[in-house]
Amino acid sequence: MAPPPSMAAASDRAGPGADPGAGDSSLRLRRAPSADAGDLPGDSSSGQRESGEPHPPPPNPQQQQHEMLYFRASAPAHRRVKESPLSSDAIFRQSHAGLLNLCIVVLVAVNSRLIIENLMKYGLLIRAGFWFSARSLGDWPLLMCCLTLPIFPLVAFMAEKLIRRKLIGEHVVILLHIIITTSVIVYPVVVILKCDSAVLSGFVLMFLASIMWMKLVSYAHTNYDIRVLSKSTEKGAAYGNYVDPENMKDPTINSLVYFMLAPTLCYQPTYPRTACIRKGWVIQQLVKCIVFTGLMGFIIEQYINPIVKNSKHPLKGNFLNAIERVLKLSVPTLYVWLCMFYCFFHLWLNILAELLCFGDREFYKDWWNAKTVEEYWRMWNMPVHKWIIRHIYFPCIRKGLPRGVAILISFLVSAVFHEICVAVPCHIFKFWAFFGIMFQIPLVFLTRYLQDRFKNIMVGNMIFWFFFSILGQPIFVLLYYHDVMNRQAQASR
């Protein structure tokens, strides 16, 4: 801050090396009344003394002298090379907290206007028939299928007990596990296809069945590996710190039940545990989960349903109309997806972990900062990523397959289960979800090349957001919606 004109004039008369306030009595006379009477604008020293508060610390004379010399007219105003804050070299070294606040304010304003406009145009469109119907609530085969799924883990446990007691051979137990894991997927698929249930009910059943399939695969594979390591150590093989004695124990019914309930897909006999359950924290997270679930339902009913109803099939009709629908649908689908991620991966999995005292709660990483599509798939869903790494990717590598083939097989398994979880409840097998996942493979190599080509620039991150949120999700919503509507129209004829 530049000194007041009176101080600058006094310092000029006293000379550059003089002490301000010591070489000129006029300066002392000018400062004394202002300090006593509070003449300077914004000076509150008199008020402080009247209220009995302590005096502010006196200014440093050396600092004042430095400021008066620094801001002289003859002093240079430009002393070194500096970059503009928004230049390409300096932009990532600056804090953008103010711009982030601006974006939040703009988002709130824009979305408030959209909410008001939507309510004025359509009214309140919340209805339960889209999610549940009297037919789906009375559709007992899906409920019975869900209640009988725990039979498969019990059969897998019995198979492990038989092999531990040497009542069956290794090939027999492998065959039993193949039958069990296949049945846990085929059984709900047959039930859903036989019953014309609601889409949401079928999706929940297939989601639970897919989770159980991955858990049973991990259970069988891990126990097989424990048996192999046990035989190797008995023969004198040394694995150093790679083998934990706590995780070499025989399977028990308690470890199986805990694994089936725990928020993980990778089996191990013991897990890191927390000391206690924070009941108040659990209640807070449950309230948040209910609020965000309601928000998802509101966005779907008020925004997504009217948009898709007024649209045409994206692969038919006018191309510009399809692009307009996709772009209009991109924002609400992105909001729903973000709410789903927060509800499931943060709130629900942490609630489950807290109730079970499950210690490892790294259910996701900062995937929103992913610079490539490959980084995104490694960070956004850590339970599935750990399962794929442990039971698909590295087993393929150990079998001598190239890294690219191992990645292809990993994406292939993911694509198959994405297709099953979506196509079976919709009773439509158009392979949209399958091709959508497999399309990620060229995007992995594209974003990796761009990130290597343009260093320190989030090109890959922008491409990921564009293909995933702006283009990918809205297209698949439109594709499946119109296919479901066409199937229902043909069935009603």
Side-chain angles (χ1 to χ4, degrees):
M1 179 177 178
S6 60
M7 295 174 62
S11 99
D12 289 343
R13 288 191 297 271
D19 183 11
D24 197 322
S25 61
S26 63
L27 179 59
R28 291 197 300 271
L29 292 175
R30 292 183 186 211
R31 292 174 60 189
S34 64
D36 294 337
D39 292 338
L40 290 177
D43 194 342
S44 58
S45 58
S46 61
Q48 291 177 348
R49 286 195 296 275
E50 290 175 1
S51 60
E53 295 183 4
H55 290 276
N60 188 354
Q62 294 182 353
Q63 181 180 1
Q64 287 186 348
Q65 179 183 4
H66 173 73
E67 290 178 350
M68 286 185 288
L69 294 175
Y70 192 89
F71 290 103
R72 291 179 64 94
S74 59
H78 307 282
R79 298 174 180 268
R80 55 193 173 99
V81 177
K82 296 181 182 180
E83 295 176 337
S84 298
L86 297 180
S87 64
S88 60
D89 295 331
I91 188 170
F92 293 109
R93 298 195 299 267
Q94 302 292 329
S95 173
H96 302 94
L99 292 178
L100 178 61
N101 292 335
L102 173 62
C103 292
I104 293 175
V105 171
V106 171
L107 279 175
V108 171
V110 171
N111 287 281
S112 300
R113 183 194 66 82
L114 291 176
I115 292 173
I116 295 174
E117 181 183 1
N118 181 274
L119 292 175
M120 292 174 60
K121 185 175 182 180
Y122 298 107
L124 193 62
L125 300 177
I126 302 297
R127 58 188 177 87
F130 180 79
W131 306 97
F132 298 99
S133 62
R135 181 186 63 188
S136 63
L137 292 176
D139 191 12
W140 61 269
L142 268 69
L143 178 61
M144 294 302 298
C145 178
C146 186
L147 294 177
T148 53
L149 284 178
I151 294 176
F152 296 98
L154 293 177
V155 177
F157 174 73
M158 293 173 59
E160 286 298 321
K161 280 299 183 182
L162 291 175
I163 186 65
R164 292 287 179 173
R165 296 178 181 178
K166 302 185 184 302
L167 298 177
I168 58 176
E170 196 68 52
H171 296 289
V172 176
V173 75
I174 292 175
L175 179 61
L176 287 176
H177 281 303
I178 292 175
I179 295 173
I180 294 168
T181 53
T182 304
S183 301
V184 81
I185 284 293
V186 174
Y187 173 43
V189 168
V190 172
V191 172
I192 293 173
L193 293 180
K194 290 291 184 180
C195 304
D196 191 14
S197 61
V199 173
L200 182 61
S201 302
F203 175 78
V204 170
L205 179 57
M206 284 309 308
F207 182 70
L208 295 176
S210 300
I211 291 176
M212 184 166 289
W213 181 85
M214 287 188 283
K215 283 177 176 283
L216 289 177
V217 168
S218 179
Y219 184 74
H221 191 189
T222 303
N223 282 309
Y224 170 78
D225 195 52
I226 290 175
R227 291 194 299 271
V228 171
L229 290 176
S230 299
K231 294 177 181 178
S232 300
T233 52
E234 289 175 0
K235 294 179 181 180
Y239 292 94
N241 297 327
Y242 295 101
V243 177
D244 183 6
E246 289 293 324
N247 287 317
M248 297 291 289
K249 299 178 180 179
D250 291 345
T252 62
I253 189 65
N254 290 335
S255 64
L256 175 63
V257 172
Y258 185 85
F259 169 58
M260 286 297 160
L261 296 176
T264 180
L265 300 174
C266 296
Y267 171 75
Q268 58 192 61
T270 59
Y271 293 93
R273 306 286 290 271
T274 56
C276 61
I277 300 175
R278 298 170 293 175
K279 298 179 181 178
W281 184 87
V282 171
I283 294 174
Q284 291 179 1
Q285 306 310 306
L286 281 173
V287 172
K288 291 180 184 179
C289 193
I290 294 172
V291 170
F292 277 91
T293 302
L295 179 60
M296 281 193 292
F298 175 79
I299 295 174
I300 291 173
E301 292 285 355
Q302 288 292 141
Y303 292 93
I304 295 180
N305 281 347
I307 293 174
V308 295
K309 284 181 179 179
N310 296 328
S311 65
K312 295 181 180 180
H313 199 284
L315 301 181
K316 302 174 184 178
N318 188 277
F319 177 75
L320 291 179
N321 289 337
I323 293 297
E324 188 271 337
R325 290 288 100 176
V326 167
L327 293 178
K328 190 172 184 178
L329 196 60
S330 61
V331 175
T333 54
L334 175 61
Y335 289 166
V336 169
W337 189 86
L338 292 176
C339 289
M340 179 278 301
F341 169 81
Y342 184 72
C343 281
F344 184 75
F345 286 95
H346 183 72
L347 296 178
W348 175 247
L349 292 184
N350 273 287
I351 290 171
L352 197 58
E354 187 70 23
L355 294 176
L356 296 173
C357 296
F358 188 80
D360 186 3
R361 305 184 183 184
E362 189 185 44
F363 305 121
Y364 58 91
K365 294 183 180 179
D366 57 335
W367 55 266
W368 46 87
N369 293 325
K371 298 179 181 179
T372 63
V373 174
E374 183 180 8
E375 285 186 8
Y376 163 75
W377 286 108
R378 287 203 309 261
M379 295 191 297
W380 96 276
N381 188 342
M382 292 306 295
V384 172
H385 171 70
K386 292 177 181 178
W387 184 89
I388 290 178
I389 289 294
R390 194 185 193 207
H391 301 293
I392 295 181
Y393 180 79
F394 277 109
C396 292
I397 296 296
R398 283 193 289 268
K399 291 295 182 180
L401 296 178
R403 181 173 179 270
V405 176
I407 293 176
L408 178 63
I409 294 175
S410 301
F411 272 100
L412 183 64
V413 173
S414 177
V416 169
F417 275 89
H418 275 82
E419 180 66 26
I420 290 175
C421 289
V422 178
V424 172
C426 294
H427 297 261
I428 294 171
F429 294 92
K430 295 292 186 68
F431 296 98
W432 301 127
F434 178 84
F435 291 125
I437 297 298
M438 296 305 293
F439 182 68
Q440 304 297 310
I441 297 178
L443 287 180
V444 166
F445 293 101
L446 174 62
T447 52
R448 185 190 301 170
Y449 166 77
L450 292 176
Q451 184 61 29
D452 293 338
R453 177 68 176 82
F454 303 98
K455 297 292 184 181
N456 298 325
I457 297 179
M458 302 288 282
V459 176
N461 184 265
M462 290 185 286
I463 292 178
F464 150 70
W465 280 115
F466 175 77
F467 279 103
F468 185 78
S469 302
I470 306 302
L471 191 62
Q473 291 188 16
I475 288 180
F476 285 105
V477 169
L478 291 175
L479 287 171
Y480 276 105
Y481 174 82
H482 286 286
D483 287 339
V484 169
M485 292 297 103
N486 292 335
R487 186 189 67 84
Q488 293 180 354
Q490 293 175 0
S492 61
R493 291 177 184 175

